[in-house]
Each structure stands twice: as C-alpha cells, then as structure tokens.
Amino acid sequence: MACEASLAESAFDPSAEITRFTAAHALAGGIVSFIGQVRVGEGVEALELRHYAPLTLPGMVALAEATVTRWALDGLSIIHRSGVMLPGEPIVLVLAAARHRRDAFAAADYAMDHLKSESWFWKREKIAGIWRWIEPRAQDYADLARWDRSV
Amino acid sequence: MACEASLAESAFDPSAEITRFTAAHALAGGIVSFIGQVRVGEGVEALELRHYAPLTLPGMVALAEATVTRWALDGLSIIHRSGVMLPGEPIVLVLAAARHRRDAFAAADYAMDHLKSESWFWKREKIAGIWRWIEPRAQDYADLARWDRSV
Amino acid sequence: MPLRLVFLGRLEDAAGMGATALDLPAPATLPEVLARLPAALAAALADPRLRLAVNGALLAADAKPLLADGDELAFLPPVSGG
Amino acid sequence: MPLRLVFLGRLEDAAGMGATALDLPAPATLPEVLARLPAALAAALADPRLRLAVNGALLAADAKPLLADGDELAFLPPVSGG
C-alpha cells in the first residue's frame, strides 16, 4: 500500500495532485480529498506556518503510516505547506483512495484531525499589519478525541 | 448558500471542477471532494448508468438542497454521469465547502450515501462482452441507515 | 386513449424495449394495463419492489393509479446507481 | 561545551530569535540552561505545556535531560497547525 507525506515550502496545486493521485489509484473505486485553504475575507492578510524539520515531516510520515494501517486503503497522500501563505492559497491536501468509500472518508477525516492537533506546526496570522501567534483550538482536541472511542 | 446538481451525459474532468469550486468558495476553510470512478482491472469492460429524466435530476437537486439544509456549508456540488463509461472514467463527484471541515466531511458523506441508495440510476456492467444489470448492494442500505440515528 | 409505458433498468430487457405505446379505454387501472402485456412481462412488472411514476411523479408504494389520456407510466426497479 | 537552543512558535518572539548558541560545562541540566538566559525568557521556557526535543528526538513530558557536547535543545509550544 502506497502512502506518502510531503512538506511543501511553496505554493502547490491541489487539482494537479488530485489528478495524479486519481490516475495512480485506478483500482480504487473512490477517492476522498480534503483541501484546506487560507480563508479570504476575514481580514487575514497572510498566514505563516513554521515547522521544526527534525520532527515535522517524520511526524507526517508516521501519521500517514498509522492511517493506512487503520483502514483498507489503496493509497494515501498528505501534503502540508510551511512558510508564508496568502488568502486563497492551499495549506493542506489529504487524499485517500479506497475500494470502499467509507474507508476513504474515515481515513481522510482521521488524518486531518491528527494533522490539526498533533503535527508539529506553529501558526501565526497577519492582521492589520501585525503578526500574531495562534493558540491551539479546543475544537481540534475535541475532534481528535473522537478517534479514541471508535474505529 | 449555493448548491448545484448536474447530470453529465459525457465524460467530465473532476480536477477542473474542483479547481472551479475551490476558487468559487474562497471564504470556506475546507473543501471535501469525493470522486467515484469505474474501477480498472476487475474485468469490467464498461459500465452503463441509465436514468429516468423526469425523476433523476430533480432527485439530485432535492438531495443537494436537503444536504445544505442539514449542515453549515458554503457550497455543495453534485455531478453524476449517465450513459456508458469506461474503466478509469469518473462516475460521480461530490464537493462540499464549509467553514469547519467536520461539516464538509459529513455533507459529502451524506450526499454520497443518498446518491448510492436513493437516486434514480440503474447500473449495468459489461464483462466478457455480456451486459448484466447490477442489483442494489445491502451495504448501500446499511450506509444510508446510519443517518437516521445521528446528525 | 393512448398511454406510454416506460421500462427502466432490467425491465428493459424483460420488455425487449425501453418504452412502448398502448391504447386502452379511459380511465385505465394498473391491472388493465398489465392484462394487455405478454404474461412474462406482466409478471416482471408485478414485482412488489417496483415503484411507479405517472407523468414523472413518483407514486406511493401502495398507490392504485387511474390512468388518463396520454399518461406516461414508468416502472422503476430498485436503484443501483453511483 | 557548545549547545544550540531552538525556540519554536511564540517562543521565538519571547527569545527575540529563532535559535541561539550557549556554552556550558558538560553535562548540563535544563535548570542550568535556563539560569543562563534572561529571566523573562527563562520564565516563558518554564511553561509546563512546552515539550522538549534533544537532537530532534522528542522527550517524555517529565524528562530531565542531561545535555552533552553539541546537543540541540528545542523548546516546542503547543502546536496550532493545519
């Protein structure tokens, strides 16, 4: 089972990745994707994600491996930006290919919850010219806790 | 809230649709897509979906409207093929854009379960030169029943 | 009066066609329609899992339609889409 | 011995830099490291929610590392990614 994780230091094209992934997993009946992007229109001028190289990508690889172990997948891909992003730019793309769509949905959902709460990124936002570090959201921990009590 | 449903009589490009939809929903933080495609490599030479025009598209529109009522979405799009498809070709694309990713995941999942079990399509497969009609799958009904007992 | 019958899914194979026209005295009931069809097809159309639509409007599972001049009656097997 | 300290997230603001070098007698403990830093930064680094990594390996939450020659000690605030 193929799984891959990568850290993108500059803008990437989710559609091109989806095309490539879909073609590579022609045996799968269903492909679920999640695209997270910098929201437009809330006064955020830029967003920056910092990472710590010795931990961040290895953590993403470990998450991808854990996810493919947990569900019956044909393939899984995680791409996460670091660096400065502008509104409308993609931050994260998770792709899961499976024979049965339930597995693909659950795997993408699981990978996103763990990326949000457990991966080694620190986020700051620029609003009205001022950069501010973002605290973890309680909702992210609640999302994560779901996976402790179910498959 | 924008929702749309369309019946594609010939091949469509999921990536182009995802690009268009993502750009149209720049306010959304997250976009979930589901791509269903004709599996390659199981001996299926072609798949055909027949529809009944007075019911099929109106049913898809009603499903899209029910889905956007049920979750907090910025947008929802359902595209479903009819006609003859070859292995590797897309059958269905569901796109859900939401401020919070949980809503986008649930909406896409819900729309797929209902498309599979309740929309007016009849499927046949060509294997070794012989067309055979496909019976509904028990799994599809089980998937659908999930939504009766939870949000 | 003219009626149009539409056969979806595997019923198209049972009927040997996707649609056909029928002429019956108005108003016509479903048993009157089935009586005019070949026995094997009539048997396939009596499957209780089928749903019916008249002029594109789905009928309740236990409806007993009275068909009028020009009506289109569609026979809908369980769906297997997507 | 030389040590390298790395400050992630908001700790970079507290430190006024992303990383710094320090020279201490070997082996060095965390309290010895903090004692060499400005009081405000030392206070920020004593936050119990922080995690530590030595040479890229995450430490257990209650670990008391002994730092050796050339070690890189990273201070990791709660993550807020994705």
Side-chain angles (χ1 to χ4, degrees):
Chain A
M1 217 300 311
C3 77
E4 51 187 20
S6 66
L7 196 55
E9 302 281 349
S10 58
F12 67 97
D13 178 355
S15 293
E17 297 297 334
I18 292 170
T19 299
R20 187 186 57 74
F21 185 85
T22 302
H25 296 289
L27 286 164
I31 288 156
V32 169
S33 77
F34 177 84
I35 302 169
Q37 58 187 2
V38 184
R39 287 193 196 102
V40 171
E42 297 186 346
V44 175
E45 294 152 19
L47 182 153
E48 181 173 12
L49 283 173
R50 299 280 185 91
H51 71 285
Y52 180 51
L55 289 179
T56 307
L57 182 57
M60 290 168 59
V61 170
L63 171 59
E65 288 168 351
T67 305
V68 301
T69 302
R70 191 158 178 154
W71 284 281
L73 301 181
D74 290 316
L76 180 80
S77 172
I78 297 173
I79 301 175
H80 206 296
R81 270 298 306 275
S82 72
V84 176
M85 286 152 270
L86 299 177
E89 287 189 359
I91 304 169
V92 58
L93 173 66
V94 170
L95 287 161
R99 185 176 164 83
H100 300 297
R101 70 180 182 285
R102 182 103 299 109
D103 293 313
F105 271 112
D109 196 6
Y110 176 91
M112 273 309 304
D113 279 355
H114 286 74
L115 273 173
K116 277 283 193 179
S117 307
E118 294 192 337
S119 60
W120 296 101
F121 291 101
W122 294 272
K123 180 159 63 178
R124 56 179 199 155
E125 286 178 352
K126 189 181 180 186
I127 297 180
I130 311 286
W131 282 104
R132 246 181 273 274
W133 291 100
I134 305 300
E135 288 294 323
R137 296 191 315 135
Q139 182 61 45
D140 289 335
Y141 291 114
D143 288 344
L144 194 66
R146 296 186 307 140
W147 302 102
D148 294 332
R149 36 173 218 267
S150 67
V151 170
Chain B
M1 218 299 311
C3 78
E4 52 187 21
S6 66
L7 196 55
E9 301 282 349
S10 58
F12 68 97
D13 178 354
S15 292
E17 298 295 335
I18 292 169
T19 299
R20 188 186 56 75
F21 184 85
T22 302
H25 297 290
L27 285 165
I31 288 156
V32 169
S33 78
F34 177 84
I35 302 169
Q37 59 187 2
V38 185
R39 287 193 196 101
V40 170
E42 298 187 347
V44 175
E45 294 152 17
L47 181 154
E48 181 174 11
L49 282 172
R50 299 281 185 91
H51 72 284
Y52 180 50
L55 290 179
T56 307
L57 182 56
M60 289 168 60
V61 170
L63 171 59
E65 289 168 350
T67 306
V68 301
T69 302
R70 192 159 177 153
W71 283 281
L73 300 181
D74 289 315
L76 181 80
S77 172
I78 298 173
I79 301 175
H80 205 296
R81 269 299 305 275
S82 72
V84 175
M85 286 152 271
L86 300 177
E89 287 189 358
I91 304 169
V92 59
L93 173 66
V94 170
L95 287 161
R99 185 175 163 83
H100 300 296
R101 69 180 184 284
R102 181 101 301 109
D103 292 312
F105 271 112
D109 197 6
Y110 177 91
M112 273 309 303
D113 279 355
H114 286 74
L115 273 173
K116 276 285 193 179
S117 307
E118 295 191 336
S119 61
W120 297 102
F121 290 101
W122 294 272
K123 179 159 64 178
R124 56 179 198 155
E125 285 178 351
K126 189 180 180 185
I127 297 180
I130 312 286
W131 283 104
R132 247 180 274 272
W133 291 99
I134 304 300
E135 288 294 322
R137 294 191 316 136
Q139 182 62 44
D140 290 335
Y141 292 114
D143 287 344
L144 194 65
R146 295 185 308 139
W147 302 102
D148 294 333
R149 36 172 219 265
S150 67
V151 171
Chain C
M1 64 171 186
L3 292 178
R4 180 177 154 83
L5 307 184
V6 178
F7 309 111
L8 277 304
R10 64 170 67 246
L11 296 175
E12 179 178 334
D13 291 353
M17 58 195 139
T20 189
L22 212 60
D23 197 75
L24 277 177
T29 65
L30 183 58
E32 287 166 349
V33 169
L34 296 184
R36 291 283 299 278
L37 299 174
L41 176 56
L45 298 180
D47 182 341
R49 297 179 308 153
L50 299 191
R51 298 294 299 271
L52 300 175
V54 174
N55 300 326
L58 194 65
L59 303 186
D62 57 353
K64 301 195 186 313
L66 269 188
L67 300 163
D69 190 8
D71 277 356
E72 175 172 299
L73 175 62
F75 295 90
L76 312 162
V79 298
S80 56
Chain D
M1 66 174 184
L3 291 177
R4 181 177 155 83
L5 307 184
V6 178
F7 309 111
L8 277 304
R10 65 170 65 245
L11 295 176
E12 180 176 333
D13 291 352
M17 59 194 138
T20 190
L22 212 60
D23 197 73
L24 277 177
T29 65
L30 183 58
E32 289 167 348
V33 169
L34 297 185
R36 290 283 299 276
L37 299 174
L41 175 57
L45 297 180
D47 182 340
R49 298 179 307 154
L50 299 191
R51 298 294 299 272
L52 300 175
V54 173
N55 299 327
L58 194 65
L59 301 187
D62 57 354
K64 303 196 186 312
L66 269 187
L67 302 164
D69 190 9
D71 278 355
E72 174 172 297
L73 174 62
F75 294 90
L76 311 163
V79 298
S80 55

